[in-house]
């Protein structure tokens, strides 16, 4: 007997696999933040295809603010599946004259904010959450930021604010991948213990494996039932999680060039591309068998 | 004329009423502060309209970021703090969170320039230059309670980032409230004449009027142009004004680089052969602290010295 929950998780695994495929597809063209996008696809699939409630007109009732410009590749990867962007458009990312920005500007389809200046999104998301509550709306606001963004003082101002105003409609997801622009976050400027810090700042906080869809779903459920406090999901993710051959080739890369190069290594795109296509095929047949 | 002939009054705590009346008229407006509400005359809104007041604590980056978020939720946020903090401590948030948005986000910098008694750290004398370099931003430096209140109304319906300099405490009511109507970009002749054209904005327009009173008494031919909108200003009006005079003097409560004098120079240089422009303000230096009167005297911005400096350009 197949339970609903097994089917739900398998469905999300398929969405995540398709998002990974889209991330690789885009980054193969001119390079990109492939490691982060692949690693965040599980969280991203849960946000776009489970947690946010549809508004009935092709978008969402709830609001998602991606503070980290580098991670917005998962927004694109998800929206490609929703038909909001075509892969043909997205493949122009990084080309001169392309309408697709690596870190999008406010007003681009599906983006709430201009996200390229790190740390500025959390205050805005908290402001949106306060505004929605003032209007009497039940919209929930999800804000994704990276562990590196915790270096910016303004995010802590925003955390203090969210707790002070008891914004229980506000969830921050911290992509805890231990990766900054020039090295491991823990080497550049240590941020741990993140969970303790978030609790000390007045959040209900849980640290999870951000590459486990059941754990992400559990955290979202806990967030929904949290009263009088904002919620922090500290999602430990692993660069390139979900595509094994890339992890083996480059366990650590901030930006992978179109030629597969990063300053500490090199990967071949094709084997990973084949791996993810195989996973999608496998998941589709598993889901078909569940029907 | 736009200047009230008699009855030049001072209005105590002007912004208290301006903000309260605005919030009473518009429930989309939210007043915000970073732990300085009472220092910018925000009393009644905080006490009587708590739903239209958002306090963020002493955190200016968050002030502007949260404001931008509230704008994205359909509100019209007005942040208030000192001009030095509004410009220096959260410039990126103004540019990125508000400046790239179509939603209205208003930041008011109070005690701008040398109107703060505390030197350097509280005296933001470069904000107009910073803000007018932001694409599509609106930048307003009003001279008294009348154009300040009217400009704030207009700001509430202006898309994107609006940076305004504020007036706190006892604020002059010198413009004739019956005949003055603020329009974005418009320049306002306060006195007509020829010879020297004096262009000013904000608090410095008060100083220009004071100096002008002395010059009128001496029979010295000149005119006054008040320019409350630094961006987007009606460039043709500036050009027409400048070319109708032999000499131009700009007076501003700001560094003489990048502010109003810089703006006028840029505009006239597009045409060429403009009258000479003498820029008066804070001359690439740190102003001293103290009362406004003291600081003005120190910088040669008191009325008698200003009058003398205006006359000197004709020598």
């Amino acid at each position: 007997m197949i339970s609903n929950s097994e089917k739900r998780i398998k469905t999300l695994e398929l969405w995540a696999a398709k998002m990974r495929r889209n991330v690789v597809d885009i980054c193969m063209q001119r390079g990109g933040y492939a490691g982060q996008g692949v690693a965040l696809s599980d969280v991203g699939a849960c946000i776009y295809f489970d947690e946010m409630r549809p508004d009935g007109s092709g978008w969402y009732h709830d609001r998602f603010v991606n503070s980290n410009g580098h991670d917005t590749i998962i927004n694109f990867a998800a929206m490609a599946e929703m038909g909001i962007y075509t892969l043909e458009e997205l493949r122009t990312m990084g080309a001169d004259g392309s309408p697709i920005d690596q870190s999008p500007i406010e007003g681009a389809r599906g983006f709430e904010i201009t996200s390229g200046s790190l740390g500025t999104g959390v205050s805005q998301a908290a402001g949106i959450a306060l505004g929605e509550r003032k209007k009497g709306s039940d919209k929930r606001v999800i804000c994704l930021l990276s562990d590196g963004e915790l270096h910016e003082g303004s995010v802590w101002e925003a955390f203090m604010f969210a707790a002070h105003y008891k914004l229980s409609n506000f969830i921050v997801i911290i992509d805890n991948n231990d990766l900054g622009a020039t090295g491991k976050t823990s080497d550049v400027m240590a941020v741990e213990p993140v969970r303790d810090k978030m609790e000390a700042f007045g959040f209900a906080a849980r640290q999870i494996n951000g590459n486990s869809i059941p754990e992400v779903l559990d955290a979202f459920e806990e967030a929904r039932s949290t009263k009088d406090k904002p919620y922090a999901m500290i999602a430990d993710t692993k660069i390139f999680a979900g595509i094994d051959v890339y992890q083996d080739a480059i366990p650590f890369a901030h930006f992978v060039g179109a030629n597969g190069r990063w300053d500490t290594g090199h990967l071949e795109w094709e084997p990973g591309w084949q791996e993810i296509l195989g996973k999608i095929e496998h998941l589709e047949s598993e889901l078909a068998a569940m029907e | 004329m736009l200047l009230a002939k008699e009855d030049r009054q001072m209005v105590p705590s002007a912004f208290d009423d301006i903000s309260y009346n605005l919030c009473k008229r518009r429930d989309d407006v939210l007043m915000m502060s970073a732990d300085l509400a009472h220092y910018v005359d925000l009393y009644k809104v905080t006490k009587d309209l708590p739903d239209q007041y958002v306090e963020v604590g002493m955190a200016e980056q968050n002030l502007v970021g949260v404001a931008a978020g509230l704008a994205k939720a359909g509100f019209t946020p007005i942040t208030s703090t000192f001009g030095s903090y509004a410009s220096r401590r959260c410039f990126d948030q103004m540019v990125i969170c508000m400046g790239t948005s179509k939603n209205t986000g208003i930041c008011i910098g109070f005690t701008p320039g040398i109107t703060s008694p505390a030197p350097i750290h509280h005296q933001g004398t470069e904000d107009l230059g910073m803000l007018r370099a932001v694409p599509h931003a609106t930048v307003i430096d009003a001279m008294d309670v009348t154009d300040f209140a009217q400009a704030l109304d207009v700001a509430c319906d202006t898309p994107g980032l609006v940076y305004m300099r504020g007036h706190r405490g006892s604020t002059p009511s010198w413009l004739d409230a019956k005949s003055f109507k603020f329009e974005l970009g418009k320049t306002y002749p306060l006195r007509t004449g020829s010879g020297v054209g004096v262009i000013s904005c904000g608090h410095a327009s008060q100083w220009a009027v004071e100096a002008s009173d002395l010059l009128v008494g001496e029979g010295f031919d000149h005119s006054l142009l008040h320019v409350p909108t630094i961006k987007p200003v009606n460039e043709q009006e500036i050009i027409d004004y400048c070319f109708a005079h032999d000499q131009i003097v700009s007076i501003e409560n700001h560094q003489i680089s990048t502010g109003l004098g810089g703006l006028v120079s840029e505009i006239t240089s597009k045409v060429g052969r403009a009258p000479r422009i003498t820029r008066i303000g804070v001359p690439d230096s740190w102003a001293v602290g103290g009362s406004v009167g003291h600081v003005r005297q120190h910088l040669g911005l008191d009325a008698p010295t200003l009058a003398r400096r205006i006359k000197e350009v004709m020598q």
Side-chain angles (χ1 to χ4, degrees), chain B residues 26-213:
Chain B
R26 294 182 60 145
D27 59 9
D28 60 313
V29 168
L30 298 176
M31 299 304 308
M32 300 179 66
S33 178
D35 197 22
L36 285 175
H38 297 176
Y39 295 83
V40 302
D41 298 327
L42 269 178
Y43 294 97
K44 284 196 276 191
V45 170
T46 62
K47 193 165 142 286
D48 300 336
L49 302 171
D51 287 345
Q52 285 177 266
Y53 177 67
V54 179
E55 173 64 65
V56 305
M58 192 169 58
E60 291 78 14
Q61 295 185 68
N62 196 45
L63 173 73
V64 175
V66 167
L70 287 164
K72 289 167 174 62
F75 291 93
T76 304
I78 301 177
T79 71
S80 62
T81 180
F82 295 154
S84 51
Y85 304 154
S87 54
R88 297 171 188 158
R89 300 202 70 133
C90 46
F91 188 56
D92 196 38
Q93 275 75 8
M94 282 199 282
V95 175
I96 298 298
C97 307
M98 286 183 172
T100 64
S101 179
K102 289 190 170 60
N103 300 304
T104 299
I106 301 166
C107 298
I108 308 183
F110 284 85
T111 63
I114 61 164
T115 64
S116 173
I120 305 177
H121 45 91
H122 278 61
Q123 291 175 338
T125 57
E126 59 289 297
D127 53 343
L128 298 179
M130 293 167 73
L131 272 298
R132 84 176 176 89
V134 179
H136 310 302
T138 299
V139 184
I140 296 169
D141 193 9
M143 73 174 279
D144 81 345
V145 64
T146 300
D147 61 344
F148 182 36
Q150 290 187 17
L152 188 56
D153 278 351
V154 171
C156 287
D157 293 315
T158 303
L161 167 65
V162 183
Y163 178 80
M164 296 179 67
R165 280 177 148 197
H167 292 256
R168 81 157 183 195
S170 194
T171 305
S173 176
W174 290 2
L175 292 168
D176 183 357
K178 290 188 199 75
S179 56
F180 184 89
K181 186 174 181 321
F182 178 84
E183 288 174 39
L184 205 59
K186 192 171 163 53
T187 63
Y188 296 89
L190 300 183
R191 282 219 164 99
T192 53
S194 55
V196 184
V198 178
I199 303 183
S200 62
C201 60
H203 288 73
S205 286
Q206 301 167 19
W207 310 341
V209 170
E210 289 169 1
S212 172
D213 287 346

Side-chain angles (χ1 to χ4, degrees), chain A residues 177-193:
Chain A
N177 60 15
D178 197 23
L179 174 69
T182 60
K184 287 177 176 295
T185 310
S186 49
D187 292 334
V188 175
M189 182 56 63
V191 296
E192 293 289 357

